[in-house]
Amino acid sequence: MLHIINKSPLSGNSLGSCLNVATGGEILLIEDAVYAATSGNAFEKKIREAMGRFKIYALLPDIEARGLADRVIEGVSAVGYDGFVDLVVANRNCQSWL
Amino acid sequence: MSEESIKKFMFVNRKAPYGTIYALEALEVVLITAAFDQEVSLAFLDDGIYQLKKGQQTKGIETKNFSPTYRALEGYDIEKLYVEKESLEARGLSEEDLLVDVTVLSRAEMGNLMEEQDVLLSF
Amino acid sequence: MPQIEVNGKTYETDEEGYLVNLADWNMDVANYIAKTENLNMTEQHWEVIDFLRKYYDEFQIAPAVRVLTKAIGKKLGPEKGNSQYLYELFPYGPGKQACKVAGLPKPTGCI
């Protein structure tokens, strides 16, 4: 199952809820959610913990747009729009945590 | 309708009712989906729980109170309403505070149920 | 916004002739709309109109035809809770036509 997040973890609870409820699978961080994938952010610890249960991806164009390309947490895979499509295709279902 | 063409649809409601349009939009899509004879369920978590709070009075904000419509869902053969226990408790609410009969699930049960769905519609 | 005039009073309607304001509804308006729909209102028609208004009052939506049919069957008996009976009363669709006379918005889920 694919989980898509598009809100910063520092201003909302979308990512937090996803980590609480979802049992596993893949997480794709897009738009403002890519802040969660950057080292030094207050949510980093939770992201690292989640790596045991989830494979975590972040959308590179959104990371680059925010000037954070050099800060992506190790273990988070940066993907392009083609990778986004691949993830949607590869998973049986998908939940957007708006 | 043949068995194979019936899919499991889950509407995931995570927003409070009047601050944004999500809750009302979800409800309208649910009512339309009911016409297609699919297996439809609704999940309420986070602030989505507030959609089901009893006693909503919207006169003062000049907005339509659509909470009574959740009670119509049974007539539309939509009887599976799930509420996440932790979200309910975090808001100081219990089943008695809700205007419809629901099934309360733990986080883990909710997560498993989501995995089972063919289609998740997120609001 | 289109309007209709009944007994010297004007009422707003949408493009399809549904009343805009629920509170505007009264028997005169209902009879006027029924006439524009070529309906000869009988006791059986009013029974459905009354049912719809009560349904709306309780649930804040106009029911889909399937739901209306089932609910009428439950309340008024199986000889009335079937589409044949309801379509005989409202040939252009019990949902659309009866809701219009009842002063309700077009049913949600009416596709």
Side-chain angles (χ1 to χ4, degrees), chain A residues 1 3 7 13-15 17-18 20-25 92-98, chain B residues 12 14-15 22 45-46 84 107-108 110-112 114-118 120-123:
Chain A
M1 181 170 181
H3 301 273
K7 303 280 192 306
N13 71 338
S14 296
L15 181 54
S17 291
C18 169
N20 282 336
V21 174
T23 50
R92 200 178 74 84
N93 58 12
C94 170
Q95 155 74 359
S96 291
W97 297 80
L98 299 172
Chain B
V12 182
R14 295 185 51 247
K15 309 276 186 206
Y22 285 97
L45 35 153
D46 300 321
E84 192 214 31
R107 273 176 182 164
M110 186 66 93
N112 287 332
M114 288 171 83
E115 290 274 351
E116 282 175 22
Q117 303 300 313
D118 294 303
L120 290 141
L121 294 118
S122 319
F123 291 91

Side-chain angles (χ1 to χ4, degrees), chain A residues 5-80:
Chain A
I5 321 284
N6 75 337
K7 303 280 192 306
S8 163
L10 306 178
S11 62
N13 71 338
S14 296
L15 181 54
S17 291
C18 169
L19 296 180
N20 282 336
V21 174
T23 50
E26 299 184 303
I27 293 176
L28 173 62
L29 306 168
I30 63 169
E31 299 168 19
D32 284 350
V34 298
Y35 290 119
T38 59
S39 59
N41 90 83
F43 215 80
E44 179 176 359
K45 191 165 163 259
K46 282 191 178 157
I47 284 285
R48 289 190 180 281
E49 284 166 5
M51 282 177 182
R53 279 189 299 147
F54 300 92
K55 176 91 186 81
I56 300 178
Y57 302 85
L59 195 65
L60 188 57
D62 283 328
I63 298 170
E64 288 174 337
R66 289 161 179 77
L68 294 162
D70 56 346
R71 293 206 184 189
V72 178
I73 297 170
E74 203 185 325
V76 173
S77 308
V79 293

